[in-house]
């Protein structure tokens, strides 16, 4: 299968390496020129569970993407959420009528952007529990295990999606064909919609958040807002199960972990993906006439903090 | 007039010194033993607009207050809001049936506590724009000008309150007898209910808050919650005027100022008075069946931050 991975950060690199090692024809597109240059010069270098791996893969900057070559069967997007639209613009020339696009990004509402570039029946959505870290241009660290859950957005895409499951299985990516991936996406968004913004605002790790007397109330209220909006989209979240799932992280082995939004905002002073998490619930809530004041205020506070730490406020411009 | 000032911090010391200089019989009660010891040993020392002033005043710790002496005509409370109840317990022995209690504390709902210690018709409420800073035990800095607005809580207290206005006038405190002090209290609480919690959560000064794109929406939403609850108490805030008043601080000469809650929480890691500002609106909102989600979430986030910075969580215990 010819596969183009759009966004060669940690996760994109993981999928590219594992699919390449399984014998597929993998290409990369990435917007960070230093990364493009490093991978082109030295290959993509990974610390893969302690083993050094170097993989030679074609890589293109957005400006270099053109329509002359063979079109991919599958595009996997692993951009930052707020760069999704501009990257889809860039790869438009290689999207043929038979190309499928798989989105495994955290958060809600990416399909609203993707639908502008690919027919709904060629759209595949999913979530992944794999992790990956970038240590420098062309260099990633890939540790531990994970899995993928995915499903075609419309019934017509089922056959191809099951082919993707087969390809992912051969690559060791532990995929599962989901009968209700939207539920899983919303359930995972509840984790991000509670831990990410709260730890970023309070500048604490997951366990510290859990140690406060207000954590339980905050989780319940935020999850209730997610659930009320999700119900309008036909997804009936089991609020208690989701609450238990999120609250379980307070005492799990990831309790000492600082969520990715904390890393982006507090540590690296970068714009966050809040508009695809709480911000998406707020936006959808407005559309459906559902008040989501906690999601609204949390989104506003994160945006204020982005501006105060000097993060480029590119989030809204790209939605 | 015999006056007992309860709480000899910056503001209590200012009022005590100015009333003493006007010839009144002023005593102090304070809960910080180092402060009591310093004032007893060396007098209360002030940098009063650049002039050194030392005033000898009787001062008592809460444990030393007893019923044997002459009762004060007026008690002025200048405690921290969350220490008000315990200090009122301590000074109970000196409250006679003819003693009036004046409260000039920032925030909402102090009368709910004071009513347990003094008859409503002996209660005087007000606000003050005077400022004061404490630089150490027994040492304060008093700079600039200010004023006081006050009114008896019930009609029966009018005559005595006007006497207090006269006393304050003689002391240079620039008092004004108010026809609607509750309006002024709520209006001032809107300033604290926006700037204090937001600057404390975002760790910024007033001007920086004002520079964010979300400041205007945040102010409007929070002030609307205050106004809806205030209306249930017969106070009809002019929301646009209050908004203009608060937003005016973003470009005023206090734009570089960090609100007192920031000082308490971020700088000194102390418990805040959030339960008497946004927390009071949330509490009253629950009583009246009015949703105040922004006040609720802001109160919860401030409490979480208090706990994370190790501030003693004494707020709730004393309400």
């Amino acid at each position: 299968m010819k596969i183009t991975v759009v966004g060669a950060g940690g996760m994109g690199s993981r999928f590219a390496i594992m699919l390449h090692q399984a014998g597929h024809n993998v290409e990369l597109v990435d917007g960070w020129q230093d990364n493009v240059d490093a991978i082109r010069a030295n290959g993509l270098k990974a610390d893969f569970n302690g083993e050094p791996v170097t993989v030679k893969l074609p890589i293109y900057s957005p400006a270099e993407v053109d329509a002359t070559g063979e079109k991919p069967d599958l595009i996997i997007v692993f951009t930052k959420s707020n760069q999704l639209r501009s990257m889809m613009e860039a790869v438009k020339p290689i999207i043929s009528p038979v190309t499928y696009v798989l989105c495994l990004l955290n958060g809600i509402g990416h399909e609203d952007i993707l639908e502008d570039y690919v027919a709904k029946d060629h759209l595949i959505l999913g979530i992944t529990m794999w992790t990956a870290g970038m240590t420098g241009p062309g260099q990633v660290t890939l540790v531990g295990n994970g899995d993928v859950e995915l499903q075609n957005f419309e019934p017509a895409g089922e056959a191809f999606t099951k082919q993707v499951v087969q390809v992912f299985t051969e690559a060791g990516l532990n995929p599962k064909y989901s009968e209700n991936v939207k539920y899983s996406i919303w359930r995972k968004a509840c984790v991000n919609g509670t831990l990410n913004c709260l730890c970023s605002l309070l500048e604490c790790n997951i366990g510290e958040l859990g140690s406060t007397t207000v954590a339980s109330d905050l989780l319940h209220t935020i999850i209730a807002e997610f659930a009320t909006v999700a119900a309008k989209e036909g997804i009936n979240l089991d609020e208690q199960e989701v609450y238990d799932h999120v609250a379980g992280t307070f005492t799990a082995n990831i309790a000492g972990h600082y969520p990715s939004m904390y890393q982006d905002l507090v540590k690296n002073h970068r714009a966050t993906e809040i508009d695809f998490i709480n911000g998406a619930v707020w936006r959808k809530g407005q559309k459906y006439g559902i008040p989501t004041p906690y999601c609204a205020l949390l989104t506003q506070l994160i945006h204020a903090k982005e501006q105060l730490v000097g993060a480029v406020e590119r989030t809204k411009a790209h939605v």
Side-chain angles (χ1 to χ4, degrees), chain A:
Chain A
M1 192 176 275
K2 175 155 188 192
I3 302 167
T4 300
V5 175
V6 177
M11 287 291 278
S13 296
R14 173 186 276 286
F15 275 66
I17 290 171
M18 291 174 77
L19 289 164
H20 167 82
Q21 288 177 334
H24 296 285
N25 178 5
V26 178
E27 295 190 343
L28 301 168
V29 178
D30 196 67
W32 184 23
Q33 193 59 46
D34 288 356
N35 197 37
V36 173
D37 294 343
I39 292 173
R40 198 169 276 160
N42 313 312
L44 176 53
K45 293 178 175 295
D47 170 345
F48 203 135
N49 292 321
E51 295 292 316
V53 170
T54 301
V55 176
K56 279 295 213 179
L57 295 174
I59 182 161
Y60 305 98
S61 70
E64 290 165 344
V65 175
D66 69 33
T68 52
E70 187 199 355
K71 304 281 191 296
D73 304 297
L74 177 66
I75 291 173
I76 311 177
V77 290
F78 270 126
T79 66
K80 288 272 177 192
S81 291
N82 48 42
Q83 291 161 0
L84 180 59
R85 183 172 289 285
S86 61
M87 287 300 274
M88 288 306 293
E89 276 301 326
V91 300
K92 223 172 170 176
I94 60 169
I95 303 175
S96 84
V98 296
T99 304
Y100 282 77
V101 175
L102 166 61
C103 175
L104 295 174
L105 300 179
N106 274 333
I108 299 161
H110 297 105
E111 63 273 21
D112 300 339
I113 293 172
L114 293 169
E115 281 170 23
D116 292 345
Y117 300 93
V118 62
K120 281 187 197 183
D121 57 11
H122 277 60
L123 186 53
I124 309 171
L125 298 180
I127 58 170
T128 177
M129 300 304 281
W130 288 101
T131 61
M134 209 166 188
T135 50
Q139 298 207 320
V140 294
T141 300
L142 310 175
V143 182
N145 222 318
D147 52 34
V148 181
E149 194 182 326
L150 73 172
Q151 187 186 19
N152 36 291
F153 191 64
E154 301 242 309
E158 182 175 339
F160 184 82
T161 302
K162 288 188 166 166
Q163 259 184 267
V164 174
V165 168
Q166 184 57 35
V167 164
F168 278 19
T169 302
E170 290 159 14
L173 284 163
N174 298 333
K176 194 180 84 176
Y177 182 79
S178 175
E179 296 295 339
N180 193 358
V181 80
K182 286 182 196 165
Y183 188 100
S184 303
I185 289 171
W186 274 89
R187 180 176 182 268
K188 193 173 184 208
C190 286
V191 180
N192 298 127
T194 46
L195 305 184
N196 279 26
C197 53
L198 294 172
C199 288
S200 301
L201 284 171
L202 296 169
E203 302 197 0
C204 65
N205 64 33
I206 293 170
E208 287 166 346
L209 173 67
S211 76
T212 68
T213 57
V214 299
S216 169
D217 278 354
L218 290 174
L219 262 55
H220 277 297
T221 310
I222 296 167
I223 291 168
E225 290 186 359
F226 274 66
T228 310
V229 171
K232 283 281 177 184
E233 308 214 328
I235 298 124
N236 292 300
L237 289 176
D238 177 343
E239 287 184 48
Q240 187 59 48
E241 188 280 328
V242 173
Y243 172 82
D244 292 341
H245 173 55
V246 180
T249 65
F250 292 154
T251 51
N253 56 2
I254 61 158
H257 180 78
Y258 292 83
S260 59
M261 190 178 287
Y262 177 99
Q263 310 276 353
D264 283 340
L265 183 59
V266 181
K267 210 172 142 208
N268 299 317
H269 294 185
R270 290 205 192 119
T272 73
E273 299 177 337
I274 192 76
D275 283 336
F276 292 85
I277 312 172
N278 305 77
V281 174
W282 180 22
R283 213 160 47 236
K284 285 173 182 283
Q286 288 177 303
K287 190 171 86 178
Y288 300 129
I290 295 169
T292 59
Y294 272 51
C295 283
L297 177 50
L298 290 167
T299 302
Q300 291 168 317
L301 290 172
I302 291 289
H303 280 316
K305 190 155 176 163
E306 286 172 340
Q307 294 164 33
L308 290 165
V309 301
V312 182
E313 225 295 74
R314 54 195 168 185
T315 314
K316 295 215 164 218
H318 287 281
V319 171

